[in-house]
Amino acid sequence: MMRGRADENQKKRLVTLILTLVIFGGFLYVYSRKDGSSALEYGSKSLKKIGSSYWSGDDDADESSFKPGEDGEDAVMLKSIPVCDDRLSELIPCLDRNLIYQTRLKLDLSLMEHYERHCPLPERRYNCLIPPPPGYKIPIKWPISRDEVWKANIPHTHLATEKSDQNWMTVKGEKISFPGGGTHFHYGADKYIASIANMLNFPNYNLNNKGSIRTVLDVGCGVASFGGYLLSSDIIAMSLAPNDVHQNQIQFALERGIPAYLGVLGTKRLPWPSQSFELAHCSRCRIDWIQRDGILLLELDRLLRPGGYFVYSSPEAYAQDEEDLRIWKEMSGLVERMCWKIAAKRNQTVIWVKPLTNDCYMEREPGTQPPLCRSDNDPDAVWDMHMEACITPYAEYNQRGRGSSLAPWPARLITPPPRLADFGYSNEMFEKDTEVWQQRVENYWTLLSSKIKSDTLRNLMDMKANIGSFAAALKDKDVWVMNVVPKDGPNTLKIVYDRGLIGTVHDWCEAFSTYPRTYDLLHAWTVFSDIGRKGCSVEDLLIEMDRMLRPKGFVIVRDKRSVVEFIKKYLQMLHWEAVATTDAGRDVLQDEEDDTVLMIQKKMWLTSESLRELE
């Protein structure tokens, strides 16, 4: 009897062992079927250098043996770039919570540090192509897109339920529609904007006030209906929101064709120079403006032009409960010490106006808080700069001119602004730059004429904007341009804003703060040569550009011929195709005689999951 039991136990152990091995083998099989880039983990496969073992198959390859533009490129055999896991279809590399979790960053949540940029190291990048979500369709064209988008492109309908009482958005079959409502303007952004203009006694209920208000910052913008409805008044708003609990707000805004940027008022300065905006707006934006000695309100003060407005719609402006009254009292005291005055106050909204000159600052009692910023505090330095709780005084030309001295829109687009002198630019240089880029853009559109119609393009990015003349040349097109100024070059972004345009500072060695598939056209003027000189990866930049670019979108590369030929080798594995290549021609702004223009279009491709969704 004992032996029989022992045999039975031995059989049970054997069966258990076999089952365990089968299950373990199954896991190994599934894992081996995945490409390394499909895992939701960083550092899966490196594409760092074209001469590396990943590309050439040579384990002993020297990564430094090949550089973009060198001879002998034809001998290099390129392999395909892997496609990311479908779960990464909305990846924003420098705003990825998965990265924060994996690297165990110690961040102060109360200061919103977890919503600021935290980029992966090169060896921890995914290095794969971001797939579109299942069922993705070519976006609806502007201006219809202001009011409706494809649900499949942004399959997030929770805001429609969560904000149903505020009229943000509604789901209608295959589309999501935007009635124009907001947290504080349930009856429509258009009526709300007209009421603000009326409060300020602007003619014809038009907030642009005969062109004096052109650039606006909308903080905590929701789905950016406020900015969307300002466009018809010749006002362009930078709609700002973090990738927070209400995720996809900025994704909705850009899908609609409305200018927007992912960012947060946390510990770092916003990526815009001083005196960038005529008006800032906060409608129930859930920001504690009086925290840390008013540092967030002082950041708005830095960004506002002389005589600029802050429109604040919030319970503190009108409610009568004890807590709201306390906040209102503290906030009122703070803005008074900042020399802001109430321009209007009605119902649920208060509008403050910033002084035109430094006179009020000089008349404050000694020791008044907040203090004026130190003379060595550059108000235009913004890349990775911590905010300071101080008031930014005006330059001497503001004091003399009692304001920014800018021409009204649209004349300011082609009028040399006073801050040109900060870069040693003359009026003649400004005018010549504008003229040359007008001709260049006309040539671009000629090359693209067989591929685009009047409504093909909406969201454009100039990856190296200089003083914004590429965007200025598009003034008659129904498009908007995100003008990007490199963080280590002349900070000409303040000229871009003085011209009535918008943009940001960025380092192209890192990923941009936007969702995938948010731009129709990327213009890369000597961008590849620049990052090559910095020692950053051209391959990484190409993958990042693919992430930002919408399917069927375009890339214009203007660079040295050797750089263009190098990029051509990547077209097939990026699922891009060359539309046209031409000699750039010689002009007064061109440093090299062999500059070439390459026109590229991104193909529409879907993963197997997306195809199943469409069937």
Side-chain angles (χ1 to χ4, degrees), residues 304-318:
L304 281 174
R305 299 195 195 279
Y309 298 98
F310 177 42
V311 180
Y312 185 57
S313 296
S314 186
E316 293 85 21
Y318 65 90

Side-chain angles (χ1 to χ4, degrees), residues 79-92:
K79 296 182 179 180
S80 64
I81 299 175
V83 175
C84 300
D85 190 286
D86 286 327
R87 289 169 289 177
L88 296 177
S89 67
E90 294 174 351
L91 174 69
I92 311 167

Side-chain angles (χ1 to χ4, degrees), residues 412-416 427-441 466-470 472-473 475 499 589:
R412 73 171 63 173
L413 185 66
I414 56 173
T415 303
N427 289 357
E428 291 73 21
M429 292 167 66
F430 175 89
E431 290 161 0
K432 179 56 68 175
D433 190 86
T434 301
E435 178 185 331
V436 168
W437 277 106
Q438 180 68 43
Q439 183 61 50
R440 288 180 174 182
V441 170
N466 193 25
I467 60 173
S469 294
F470 170 85
K475 63 182 182 300
R499 300 183 76 170
L589 302 182

